[in-house]
C-alpha cells in the first residue's frame, strides 16, 4: 500500500447508498493488499453517537478516509465535535469505481507487487 | 419523546476487533477474508486489520496464524483459521451478550447534518421540524440535538432550508446527499423553498384548502372514498415531488404552530444564554480562594 498513511474505510452498513459492488470490491482489495487498515460499519452512526474514536481519527492529518461525499464526511465529524484537518484525504465510493479508488489509494496485492 | 436507542448503543471501542494477519504466512484466502470482513462490518463490528499487535483496546483479537498469544487482560484471542465467518460472528455475539452490550444496528442512522459553511442560522429548520430534532446552543446557534427523533427517509427540513445547508448523507440525490452544491441547486432550492411553489402558494394553506375541499366534498356528497382519494392525490403529489413520507405530511405544522415553535425556541436559547451568563458572572465575582481553601 502506498505510503504509511492510516486508512479508514466506511462500509455504510445501515443503508444502500454506496454501490454494493464498489464497496465490496474495494473491501476485498484492501484485504488483499499488504497494508494495515481500519474499517468501520457506518460513520453516520458513529457521528450521531459522538463516538470517541472520531476524535482519534480527526487528530491524524495523515488519515485517508474512503466513504462517500467529502462534504458529508467533513460535516459528520463536525457534528460529533471534531474538525477533520484539511490535509485528510477523502475518497468517495458513491462517485468512483473500485478500480479508480484502488489506484488512488495505491493498493498493491502481493501478486501485483511481485512478492 | 426521545428514544433511548441511540444512547444505548455500544461504542466502537467496545465492539472493535483486531484481525491479526501476517504479511507472509498466516493469511486468509482472499474470498474468505472478504466474507469475514463484510460479515463483521454488517454485524456492527469495527475491524482493524494489522500484521502486528496494536496498543489500542479491542473486544477480541481474531488470530489467523498460529503465533503465540500476546496476553492482553480482558481481550480474548479467537483462533479463526478453521472457522467460518458465521462462526466468528456468532462468537462475537456471545461475547457481546456476556458483556451486556446491546446489539448494534438497531437504529437506522438517518438524521440531518448541517453544513455550517452555508448555514445562516435562520432557524427555519427548527421551526419546521415537529419532532424536536433541532435546538439551539447557548449562543443561539442552530444544532441537531436529537438525531434519533428524525423520521427515517424524511428529508423535509432540507427542503425548507433556504441555503441548501442541510445534508442527509444517506439520501439518494444531490446536493442533499453531500454532493457539491452548484449554482443551479441554489436557484432550484430557493424556488422550492417555496415548497409552497409546488402547490402554487403557501404549502400550509394549500394543504388546508385541499383538505377543506375534501371535507366539503365529503359533507355534500357524502362520498368518503372521493374525499380520501383527493387527500391521497394531494399527499402523493407532495410525496413524489419532495420525498416526504406520509407520516410527516400528515403532521405538518400550521403557520401558527411554526410561529409558536420559533417563539419557544428563542425563549429556550435565551434562557440557556442567561444561565451561562449567570455562571460566568458568579465565577467572575467569586473572591480568589484563600491559602486555607487551597489547602496550602
Ligand atoms: S459517511 Fe457516507 S459512506 Fe459512511 S455511513 Fe455515512 S453515508 Fe454511508
Ligand atoms: S434552515 Fe438552513 S440556514 Fe436556516 S438554520 Fe436551518 S440549516 Fe441553517
Amino acid at each position: 500500500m502506498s505510503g504509511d498513511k492510516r486508512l479508514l474505510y466506511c462500509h455504510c452498513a445501515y443503508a444502500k447508498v454506496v454501490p454494493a459492488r464498489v464497496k465490496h470490491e474495494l473491501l476485498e482489495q484492501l484485504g488483499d493488499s499488504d497494508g494495515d487498515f481500519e474499517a468501520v460499519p457506518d460513520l453516520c452512526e458513529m457521528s450521531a453517537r459522538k463516538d470517541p474514536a472520531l476524535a482519534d481519527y480527526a487528530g491524524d492529518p495523515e488519515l485517508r478516509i474512503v466513504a462517500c461525499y467529502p462534504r458529508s464526511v467533513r460535516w459528520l465529524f463536525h457534528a460529533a465535535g471534531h474538525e477533520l484537518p484539511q490535509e485528510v484525504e477523502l475518497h468517495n465510493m458513491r462517485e468512483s469505481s473500485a478500480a479508480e479508488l484502488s489506484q488512488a489509494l495505491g493498493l498493491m496485492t502481493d501478486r501485483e507487487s511481485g512478492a | 419523546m426521545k428514544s433511548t436507542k441511540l444512547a444505548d448503543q455500544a461504542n466502537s471501542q467496545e465492539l472493535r476487533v483486531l484481525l491479526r494477519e501476517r504479511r507472509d504466512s498466516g493469511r486468509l484466502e482472499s474470498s474468505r477474508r472478504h466474507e469475514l470482513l463484510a460479515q463483521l462490518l454488517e454485524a456492527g463490528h469495527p475491524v482493524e486489520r494489522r500484521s502486528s499487535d496494536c496498543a489500542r483496546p479491542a473486544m477480541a483479537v481474531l488470530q489467523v496464524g498460529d503465533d503465540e498469544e500476546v496476553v492482553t487482560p480482558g481481550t480474548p484471542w479467537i483462533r479463526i483459521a478453521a472457522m467460518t465467518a458465521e462462526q466468528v460472528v456468532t462468537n462475537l455475539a456471545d461475547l457481546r451478550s456476556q458483556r451486556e452490550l446491546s446489539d448494534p444496528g438497531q437504529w437506522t442512522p438517518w438524521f440531518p447534518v448541517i453544513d455550517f459553511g452555508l448555514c445562516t442560522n435562520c432557524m427555519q429548520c427548527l421551526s419546521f421540524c415537529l419532532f424536536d430534532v433541532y435546538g439551539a446552543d447557548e449562543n443561539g446557534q442552530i444544532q441537531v440535538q436529537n438525531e434519533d427523533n428524525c423520521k427515517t427517509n424524511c428529508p423535509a427540513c432540507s427542503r425548507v432550508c433556504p441555503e441548501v445547508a442541510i445534508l442527509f448523507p444517506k439520501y439518494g440525490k444531490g446536493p442533499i446527499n453531500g454532493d457539491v452544491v452548484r449554482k443551479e441547486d441554489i436557484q432550484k432550492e430557493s424556488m422550492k423553498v417555496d415548497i409552497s411553489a409546488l402547490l402554487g402558494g403557501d404549502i400550509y394553506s394549500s394543504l388546508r384548502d385541499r383538505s377543506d375541499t375534501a371535507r366539503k366534498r365529503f359533507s355534500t356528497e357524502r362520498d368518503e372514498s372521493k374525499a380520501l382519494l383527493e387527500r391521497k392525490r394531494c399527499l402523493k403529489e407532495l410525496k413524489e415531488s419532495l420525498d416526504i413520507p406520509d407520516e410527516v405530511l400528515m403532521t405538518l405544522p400550521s403557520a401558527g404552530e411554526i410561529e409558536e415553535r420559533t417563539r419557544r425556541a428563542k425563549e429556550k436559547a435565551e434562557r440557556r444564554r442567561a444561565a451561562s451568563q449567570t455562571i460566568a458572572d458568579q465565577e467572575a465575582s467569586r473572591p480568589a480562594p484563600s491559602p486555607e481553601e487551597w489547602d496550602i
Side-chain angles (χ1 to χ4, degrees):
Chain A
M1 207 179 296
S2 78
D4 283 330
K5 284 189 169 180
R6 188 174 179 192
L7 202 157
L8 174 65
Y9 160 94
C10 175
H11 195 60
C12 203
Y14 307 130
K16 293 190 167 61
V17 289
V18 169
R21 191 163 158 209
V22 176
K23 67 179 183 181
H24 282 286
E25 275 182 25
L26 191 68
L27 184 61
E28 186 159 5
Q29 287 169 23
L30 274 170
D32 291 348
S33 74
D34 55 7
D36 296 341
F37 65 93
E38 290 164 66
V40 292
D42 197 294
L43 275 174
C44 285
E45 195 254 1
M46 289 173 77
S47 165
R49 226 174 356 84
K50 317 268 181 284
D51 195 292
L54 294 175
D56 181 39
Y57 295 129
D60 189 349
E62 296 278 281
L63 183 68
R64 295 174 299 169
I65 302 180
V66 191
C68 58
Y69 290 102
R71 195 161 70 99
S72 282
V73 177
R74 283 203 181 275
W75 291 110
L76 278 168
F77 271 80
H78 177 96
H82 310 289
E83 298 301 330
L84 272 182
Q86 275 311 316
E87 305 88 306
V88 168
E89 276 177 39
L90 298 168
H91 299 270
N92 183 355
M93 289 190 284
R94 288 180 81 166
E95 291 284 338
S96 309
S97 68
E100 286 163 342
L101 292 164
S102 181
Q103 190 173 23
L105 296 166
L107 299 182
M108 300 273 282
T109 61
D110 288 347
R111 200 163 6 100
E112 285 163 349
S113 64
Chain B
M1 195 171 119
K2 186 165 162 50
S3 146
T4 53
K5 275 187 192 161
L6 183 56
D8 287 348
Q9 296 281 287
N11 71 37
S12 66
Q13 285 171 0
E14 293 168 299
L15 296 170
R16 188 175 148 269
V17 293
L18 175 64
L19 173 62
R20 204 164 173 276
E21 211 184 14
R22 283 212 312 255
R23 291 205 169 110
D24 41 30
S25 61
R27 271 174 85 90
L28 288 173
E29 186 269 318
S30 176
S31 61
R32 273 191 69 202
R33 182 197 305 106
H34 171 249
E35 198 186 341
L36 176 65
L37 287 170
Q39 287 204 24
L40 287 169
L41 291 166
E42 274 147 31
H45 289 280
V47 189
E48 179 163 358
R49 196 280 296 274
R50 289 182 70 90
S51 55
S52 57
D53 294 312
C54 170
R56 294 201 298 149
M59 179 191 198
V61 175
L62 308 179
Q63 171 67 28
V64 182
D66 52 9
D67 311 27
E68 271 188 35
E69 282 184 25
V70 176
V71 180
T72 319
T75 309
W77 275 52
I78 307 177
R79 295 200 176 268
I80 61 166
M83 291 167 86
T84 63
E86 288 81 11
Q87 286 168 330
V88 177
V89 169
T90 308
N91 259 276
L92 293 174
D94 292 344
L95 214 53
R96 280 202 309 271
S97 76
Q98 279 165 31
R99 294 180 184 182
E100 296 182 359
L101 297 175
S102 61
D103 286 336
Q106 291 177 49
W107 175 67
T108 303
W110 175 274
F111 57 98
V113 176
I114 301 175
D115 176 341
F116 284 99
L118 297 173
C119 172
T120 55
N121 211 34
C122 71
M123 302 277 167
Q124 286 205 41
C125 47
L126 182 146
S127 311
F128 176 81
C129 174
L130 271 185
F131 305 103
D132 279 337
V133 170
Y134 294 92
D137 68 10
E138 61 274 14
N139 301 314
Q141 173 75 58
I142 187 79
Q143 265 187 342
V144 175
Q145 288 181 344
N146 295 310
E147 288 85 349
D148 48 354
N149 278 4
C150 188
K151 299 291 159 200
T152 303
N153 295 333
C154 173
C157 54
S158 70
R159 304 292 190 180
V160 299
C161 171
E163 309 298 337
V164 208
I166 299 179
L167 314 173
F168 283 87
K170 294 193 191 304
Y171 188 65
K173 292 174 240 157
I176 294 173
N177 60 10
D179 198 355
V180 180
V181 181
R182 296 176 181 87
K183 220 161 139 199
E184 316 85 83
D185 294 319
I186 299 186
Q187 279 156 1
K188 200 163 90 199
E189 297 297 310
S190 56
M191 265 161 58
K192 119 282 167 96
V193 176
D194 298 321
I195 279 188
S196 28
L198 261 162
L199 292 174
D202 168 43
I203 189 174
Y204 307 109
S205 54
S206 296
L207 276 173
R208 270 196 307 278
D209 291 350
R210 277 166 188 259
S211 58
D212 279 353
T213 315
R215 237 194 323 273
K216 270 183 212 138
R217 197 173 288 164
F218 176 66
S219 58
T220 53
E221 299 175 15
R222 295 193 172 276
D223 183 346
E224 189 172 358
S225 59
K226 253 193 185 170
L228 282 174
L229 273 177
E230 169 65 13
R231 184 170 180 78
K232 272 193 191 146
R233 199 186 64 74
C234 160
L235 291 175
K236 188 165 168 265
E237 189 178 325
L238 268 170
K239 201 175 134 126
E240 281 170 4
S241 319
L242 303 174
D243 270 348
I244 301 177
D246 292 347
E247 188 189 356
V248 175
L249 283 176
M250 303 300 277
T251 51
L252 282 175
S254 67
E257 277 172 315
I258 288 192
E259 275 166 25
E260 176 58 20
R261 297 173 67 75
T262 312
R263 190 188 58 73
R264 283 208 311 265
K266 278 190 184 147
E267 271 179 19
K268 201 169 155 191
E270 183 53 34
R271 277 201 304 276
R272 289 179 72 163
R273 199 196 54 73
S276 58
Q277 185 59 46
T278 311
I279 294 170
D281 291 348
Q282 281 168 353
E283 297 283 323
S285 61
R286 187 177 296 158
S290 64
E292 293 76 39
E293 278 178 290
W294 279 112
D295 214 11
I296 299 173

